[in-house]
Amino acid sequence: MKIMIVEDHEAVRASLRDFLNTALPGSHVLEAATGEEALEVAFDEEPEVVLMDLGLPGMTGLEATRRLTVVAPRSRVVVCSVHEGSVYKQAALAAGAVGFVPKREANERLVPLIRTLRALAPAGAEA
């Protein structure tokens, strides 16, 4: 399974990458630091799951999510953000995200959600 982390803070990206590599062995973890970079990687690599931060430099995570659903329609975006209010969750879902996980809950909620999304993979998709 290909998972892309879109996060502008290198230390947070590295921490998430290490966590996912340990929790989901065999997964291929891709990385992007900006929304623009995420669109390029998604177009080339077609990740099954994209973990999207909202607070990105330049293109916001919401705009990147909207565009990513066009560029890589089989990718499922999960917003993972420090912003926890219902307004952020609603905006993320309206932009095309399939889930919203507050960063403080990432260790408990991300892996079960990714496993669920893997189980729901469309026919013919790489698992």
Side-chain angles (χ1 to χ4, degrees):
M1 169 175 246
K2 290 182 190 176
I3 303 167
M4 180 168 55
I5 300 167
V6 185
E7 168 64 56
D8 59 322
H9 292 97
E10 187 175 339
V12 174
R13 220 173 38 246
S15 177
L16 268 173
R17 179 190 61 234
D18 294 345
F19 171 71
L20 292 171
N21 281 331
T22 300
L24 298 167
S27 292
H28 180 65
V29 180
L30 308 162
E31 300 179 38
T34 66
E36 294 84 357
E37 186 180 355
L39 294 176
E40 290 176 24
V41 173
F43 181 77
D44 292 339
E45 298 287 338
E46 299 183 57
E48 285 82 10
V49 176
V50 177
L51 304 178
M52 180 74 69
D53 185 25
L54 290 180
L56 299 172
M59 182 188 306
T60 67
L62 289 176
E63 183 60 26
T65 297
R66 279 187 207 95
R67 293 184 186 190
L68 201 140
T69 60
V70 173
V71 170
R74 295 177 74 181
S75 295
R76 293 184 173 106
V77 178
V78 174
V79 169
C80 189
S81 179
V82 295
H83 304 290
E84 297 186 29
S86 62
V87 68
Y88 294 104
K89 181 178 180 178
Q90 290 170 351
L93 297 176
V98 299
F100 186 94
V101 175
K103 281 186 180 173
R104 68 179 177 81
E105 297 176 10
N107 286 348
E108 297 84 31
R109 294 186 49 202
L110 274 182
V111 171
L113 180 55
I114 290 170
R115 286 185 175 138
T116 298
L117 292 174
R118 179 187 298 174
L120 297 174
E126 178 183 325

